[in-house]
Amino acid sequence: MTFTTSDLTFKAYAYKNASTPIELTDETITLVQDPQNPSTYIPPPGKVLVKINYTSLNPVDVKLYHVATGPLFRQNKGFGRDFSGEVIAIGNETKSTLKVGDFVQGIYTKTFEKGTASQYLLVDPNEIEIATKPENLTLIEAASWPTVFGTAFLISKKIQYKNKKVLILGGGTSVGRYLVQIAKQEGAKEVAVTCSTRTQETLKELGADTVIDYTKHKNLVIPVLESVKATGKFDYILDTYGGNALFPEIDNILVRNGFYTTITGDYPGSDFSSLMWCVAASIYRTVSSKLGFSSFTYEFFMFKDFDNEIEQAKKYLSSGKIKIFIDSVYPFDQLDQAIEKLESGKTSGKVVVEVAKE
Ligand SMILES: NC(=O)c1ccc[n+]([C@@H]2O[C@H](COP(=O)([O-])OP(=O)(O)OC[C@H]3O[C@@H](n4cnc5c(N)ncnc54)[C@H](OP(=O)(O)O)[C@@H]3O)[C@@H](O)[C@H]2O)c1
């Protein structure tokens, strides 16, 4: 596709900082003259222009909004990072196998720059990993997986699940649902999860062997120790919700040299002070673990990018053996309601926003 003017104007959600609303704004992408046809315009060299169909929301989108405080945050920042859409134009000298007309999905990983709750996105495919959409996924499903399945996939690459006992704290989160499925597929001997009453059956269907209902246990240590008494200590604890309840008894719960990975740290909240405490507590635990003061390895896993693994992740996800969970799809003009749902703590999978119909 080529354009007859150099300015492509469109709508995108943006905010300046945590004190300003996330609102629809007018954005512009500046195109360049096509040397082969000077009356038309194409994306700048090395860039791919994607017309976005769907964006899925992640708690990190809201967390980034909350941490954008202080005088440095004055420029507009886009909202959202997961997307699916169609490649509609490609700049000259772009090193990519993508073609115009390809349906794709990806994550826009540049923090505090553009966002994917936007009608268009201009990206360098060598900086932002994009993959063509698997044929067996809808565009809604395609937008739903990059961050959450990517996180579960990359964490799982560090783990030997075969014949091991695994505890997934927050089995009902989007990341947790994928971890349960991967752990079982990769041969875990036993997978225990924490989740609310309403998600128990779903997680059992995905393969969870033991379900601990966090709404019925004020202190998770008691049911976790019961599991240890029944079938032994855990080899891995994967925390997708956040908390520190198990640490006082960790040596009785996790095998020596076991592995504790969290993607949220000690505090599950998304407000500024929870995030600061979360970082401080996690730095302390990471340093203790690295200096050998802990009997186990502790890691705060942070998804930065796919590290060139997006094709492998896509292949695993689209094998037909992994179930994708979409909680709801909101129209583009209802981002505020979509965020409210995301933050309700009552989602069953991903909240997706429809930017343009398939
Ligand atoms: N570090 C990273 O790279 C990274 C990457 C992705 C996500 N994250 C973080 O990981 C967390 C999960 O993300 P997500 O997108 O998977 O979340 P999500 O899908 O929004 O998770 C929502 C679910 O959390 C569960 N939950 C609520 N209270 C809980 C509790 N007390 N204990 C256990 N589970 C509880 C609920 O499920 P039930 O009702 O079924 O229990 C709820 O439906 C977020 O904090 C996110 O920011 C970090």
Side-chain angles (χ1 to χ4, degrees):
M1 182 173 180
T2 51
F3 299 84
T4 51
T5 59
S6 63
D7 281 353
L8 171 64
T9 48
F10 59 95
K11 297 280 182 198
Y13 281 95
Y15 60 93
K16 284 191 171 39
N17 54 52
S19 314
T20 63
I22 302 162
E23 57 190 357
L24 264 183
T25 55
D26 290 317
E27 295 277 327
T28 304
I29 287 174
T30 306
L31 304 168
V32 297
Q33 221 167 23
D34 183 350
Q36 272 147 31
N37 184 0
S39 62
T40 63
Y41 295 84
I42 57 173
K47 298 283 168 67
V48 167
L49 183 62
V50 180
K51 183 173 189 298
I52 294 183
N53 289 105
Y54 294 92
T55 179
S56 78
L57 304 188
N58 286 288
V60 70
D61 302 330
V62 182
K63 291 179 187 181
L64 286 173
Y65 172 63
H66 286 303
V67 295
T69 62
L72 289 179
F73 293 99
R74 290 198 177 155
Q75 304 297 324
N76 265 7
K77 291 155 230 7
F79 187 85
R81 46 190 245 151
D82 283 336
F83 66 92
S84 67
E86 184 181 358
V87 173
I88 58 162
I90 299 180
N92 289 331
E93 299 156 35
T94 304
K95 291 193 188 82
S96 171
T97 53
L98 294 174
K99 301 182 301 301
V100 169
D102 278 348
F103 284 102
V104 293
Q105 75 269 277
I107 311 181
Y108 186 82
T109 40
K110 293 188 166 218
T111 308
F112 297 134
E113 292 193 20
K114 300 295 175 194
T116 56
S118 169
Q119 291 175 320
Y120 293 92
L121 191 66
L122 185 69
V123 291
D124 176 344
N126 294 298
E127 287 180 351
I128 303 294
E129 280 182 88
I130 302 181
T132 51
K133 178 183 84 61
E135 282 193 357
N136 58 345
L137 262 56
T138 63
L139 277 168
I140 295 175
E141 290 169 331
S144 77
W145 71 265
T147 294
V148 288
F149 182 74
T151 301
F153 180 79
L154 292 181
I155 287 176
S156 296
K157 288 202 75 162
K158 302 169 181 217
I159 292 177
Q160 304 287 331
Y161 284 113
K162 193 130 193 84
N163 293 327
K164 294 291 177 6
K165 184 174 172 183
V166 185
L167 173 61
I168 299 171
L169 301 170
T173 66
S174 299
V175 178
R177 288 165 193 241
Y178 286 129
L179 282 172
V180 172
Q181 296 184 72
I182 297 174
K184 285 310 280 190
Q185 284 200 31
E186 298 303 317
K189 174 180 68 181
E190 185 180 340
V191 173
V193 294
T194 63
C195 66
S196 67
T197 319
R198 72 188 176 109
T199 316
Q200 291 190 14
E201 284 314 310
T202 304
L203 291 184
K204 282 184 196 159
E205 279 163 25
L206 295 182
D209 303 284
T210 311
V211 171
I212 297 169
D213 188 335
Y214 64 78
T215 65
K216 299 203 171 121
H217 296 277
K218 257 196 167 160
N219 188 345
L220 285 179
V221 167
I222 295 161
V224 169
L225 283 175
E226 272 166 22
S227 165
V228 170
K229 205 170 158 197
T231 54
K233 290 184 186 178
F234 290 90
D235 298 285
Y236 299 107
I237 298 179
L238 313 177
D239 180 11
T240 75
Y241 182 74
N244 51 15
L246 302 185
F247 289 115
E249 287 287 343
I250 198 75
D251 289 340
N252 295 320
I253 294 171
L254 196 54
V255 295
R256 190 160 182 81
N257 299 322
F259 191 45
Y260 191 116
T261 299
T262 179
I263 58 171
T264 43
D266 282 33
Y267 296 88
S270 67
D271 59 283
F272 188 78
S273 73
S274 293
L275 290 169
M276 293 304 110
W277 275 110
C278 161
V279 170
S282 291
I283 290 173
Y284 165 75
R285 292 192 200 291
T286 306
V287 172
S288 299
S289 162
K290 285 212 186 311
L291 293 176
F293 295 150
S294 325
S295 59
F296 59 96
T297 301
Y298 174 91
E299 183 193 60
F300 192 125
F301 176 87
M302 191 57 81
F303 184 107
K304 288 189 247 22
D305 55 44
F306 272 101
D307 204 14
N308 299 318
E309 303 267 1
I310 192 167
E311 286 295 338
Q312 285 94 316
K314 181 181 103 175
K315 205 166 153 200
Y316 199 111
L317 178 84
S318 57
S319 63
K321 294 182 196 150
I322 299 283
K323 190 162 180 202
I324 294 173
F325 290 87
I326 307 290
D327 176 85
S328 42
V329 182
Y330 285 81
F332 192 45
D333 61 359
Q334 289 180 15
L335 182 75
D336 48 349
Q337 278 114 304
I339 293 174
E340 209 173 292
K341 184 69 195 285
L342 176 80
E343 292 198 291
S344 68
K346 293 195 176 83
T347 48
S348 297
K350 298 298 294 176
V351 177
V352 177
V353 172
E354 182 176 84
V355 182
K357 255 199 193 329
E358 270 191 70

